[in-house]
């Protein structure tokens, strides 16, 4: 390598140094798999949500509280919130990783995004529980 | 060399010389195709639905907070701009739902033939539109 003409680019790192930390870190599949699992969970749950919204169209707060307070509805809404926000978190992570190039900016964006999504998920879950109990 | 990614853009040409590889061509280079369009829509609707979770949160939190907050949110959602946003939201939801099933089908290792891909791509778009129309038809009936 050192004998070759490397006029166009100088790499001051060894091949090993370039590769390290970039390959499979033995956790890549988890992200992919969790996204599929939450997607499958969301197929019935989002249909359930859409039907719930149709049933609650024009309902007042008392009617909505009564609906969400039904045990199965409470459980399904909590399942929906869990699956939805984890799926969202994984999906937006990929978008950010694709488009935000600067390492520090990418890390900050991901932290803010994931923190925000966790807060939204908790706010939804606590609201459902408050409506139910 | 600014970062790791730039280091990765280094390759060798056929003569073995180290060269800086070109970036892959970007969207505007290609003629729009069903395959790329459905993929881009999937990401776009995913991000839009992410923004839409703010509406879901507002709906649930206001209901938990009390009558005053809930009536404000309901009035906003029932205004013409609110309905327009909700229509966009449902279209995005049904598209992401249908195309998500397409992705899960691909994950099973099937449906990669161009012909099948174009067919189910058109099915996804038609499905999303039909589901949205049915949803709002039923929605206005029960409202």
């Amino acid at each position: 390598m050192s004998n070759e003409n490397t006029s166009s680019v100088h790499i001051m790192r060894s091949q090993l140094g370039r590769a390290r930390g970039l390959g499979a870190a033995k956790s890549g599949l988890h992200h992919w798999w969790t996204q599929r699992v939450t997607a499958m969970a969301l197929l019935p749950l989002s249909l359930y949500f859409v039907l719930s919204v149709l049933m609650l169209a024009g309902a007042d707060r008392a009617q909505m509280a009564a609906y969400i307070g039904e045990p199965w509805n409470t459980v399904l809404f909590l399942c929906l919130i869990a699956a939805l926000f984890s799926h969202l978190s994984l999906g937006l992570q990929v978008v950010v990783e694709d488009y935000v190039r600067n390492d520090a900016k990418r890390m900050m964006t991901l932290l803010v995004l994931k923190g925000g999504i966790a807060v939204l998920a908790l706010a939804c879950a606590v609201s459902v529980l408050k409506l139910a109990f | 060399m600014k970062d790791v990614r730039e280091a990765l853009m280094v390759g060798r040409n056929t003569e073995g010389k180290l060269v800086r590889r070109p970036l892959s061509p970007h969207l505007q280079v290609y003629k729009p195709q069903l395959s790329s369009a459905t993929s881009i829509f999937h990401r776009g609707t995913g991000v839009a639905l992410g923004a839409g979770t703010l509406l879901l949160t507002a709906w649930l939190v206001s209901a938990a907070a009390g009558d005053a907050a809930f009536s404000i949110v309901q009035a906003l959602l029932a205004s013409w701009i609110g309905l327009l946003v909700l229509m966009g939201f449902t279209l995005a939801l049904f598209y992401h739902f249908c195309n998500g099933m397409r992705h899960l089908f691909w994950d099973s290792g099937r449906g990669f033939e161009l012909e099948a891909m174009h067919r189910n791509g058109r099915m996804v778009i038609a499905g999303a539109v039909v589901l949205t129309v049915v949803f709002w038809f039923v929605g206005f009936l029960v409202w």
Side-chain angles (χ1 to χ4, degrees):
Chain A
M1 184 173 161
S2 51
N3 317 336
E4 287 167 15
N5 179 5
T6 58
S7 61
S8 46
V9 174
H10 282 284
I11 310 170
M12 302 298 284
R13 305 180 69 190
S14 70
Q15 298 285 353
L16 181 62
R18 278 177 61 199
R20 220 169 231 163
L22 296 167
K26 297 188 174 61
S27 60
L29 182 65
H30 182 253
H31 182 286
W32 187 90
W33 183 243
T34 314
Q35 195 158 32
R36 267 64 190 176
V37 170
T38 50
M40 286 187 280
L42 281 169
L43 290 179
L45 285 171
S46 55
L47 283 183
Y48 161 77
F49 172 69
V50 162
L51 289 177
S52 299
V53 167
L54 276 182
M55 283 160 70
L56 290 172
D60 60 23
R61 204 179 83 87
Q63 287 167 315
M64 183 175 159
Y67 179 82
I68 288 183
E70 296 275 342
W72 278 116
N73 288 333
T74 313
V75 170
L76 286 174
F77 259 83
L78 290 176
C79 288
L80 169 77
I81 289 163
L84 172 67
F85 283 101
S86 45
H87 190 77
L88 176 64
S89 182
L90 295 169
L92 286 183
Q93 180 189 344
V94 177
V95 176
V96 169
E97 285 169 348
D98 278 355
Y99 302 133
V100 183
R101 188 169 166 187
N102 179 279
D103 284 342
K105 268 190 208 158
R106 187 170 60 250
M107 180 65 82
M108 276 314 293
T109 314
L110 283 176
L111 285 173
V112 170
L113 208 61
K114 295 218 162 195
I117 288 171
V119 169
L120 286 184
L122 265 177
C124 286
V126 168
S127 300
V128 164
L129 289 173
K130 192 157 181 254
L131 283 167
F133 295 105
Chain B
M1 207 83 61
K2 273 195 238 142
D3 57 21
V4 178
R5 283 175 201 216
E6 218 157 315
L8 282 175
M9 287 194 289
V10 174
R12 284 167 193 278
N13 65 11
T14 45
E15 284 142 21
K17 277 187 189 172
L18 282 174
V19 289
R20 180 185 283 252
R21 282 202 190 111
L23 280 171
S24 59
H26 223 297
L27 288 179
Q28 67 272 18
V29 171
Y30 295 106
K31 183 180 144 206
Q33 296 169 98
L34 191 63
S35 49
S36 58
T38 48
S39 169
I40 293 161
F41 283 159
H42 196 70
R43 175 163 282 198
T45 52
V47 173
L49 290 168
T53 58
L54 291 170
L55 287 183
L56 172 69
T57 310
W59 186 56
L60 289 173
V61 170
S62 67
D67 286 313
F70 188 63
S71 58
I72 292 174
V73 169
Q74 260 205 333
L76 278 176
L77 292 179
S79 67
W80 69 267
I81 194 150
L83 286 175
L84 208 63
V85 169
L86 285 179
M87 280 177 192
F89 180 78
T90 46
L91 183 61
L93 177 65
F94 286 127
Y95 177 82
H96 204 82
F97 179 89
C98 293
N99 203 50
M101 286 202 285
R102 190 163 167 245
H103 270 281
L104 289 172
F105 179 66
W106 283 333
D107 289 339
S108 75
R110 284 170 293 176
F112 289 111
E113 302 78 20
L114 206 54
E115 208 179 310
M117 226 173 97
H118 284 165
R119 190 172 55 241
N120 54 38
R122 283 192 296 271
M123 274 161 64
V124 160
I125 294 169
V129 172
V130 167
L131 283 171
T132 306
V133 170
V134 169
F135 175 90
W136 285 96
F137 183 73
V138 175
F140 281 120
L141 276 185
V142 297
W143 193 16

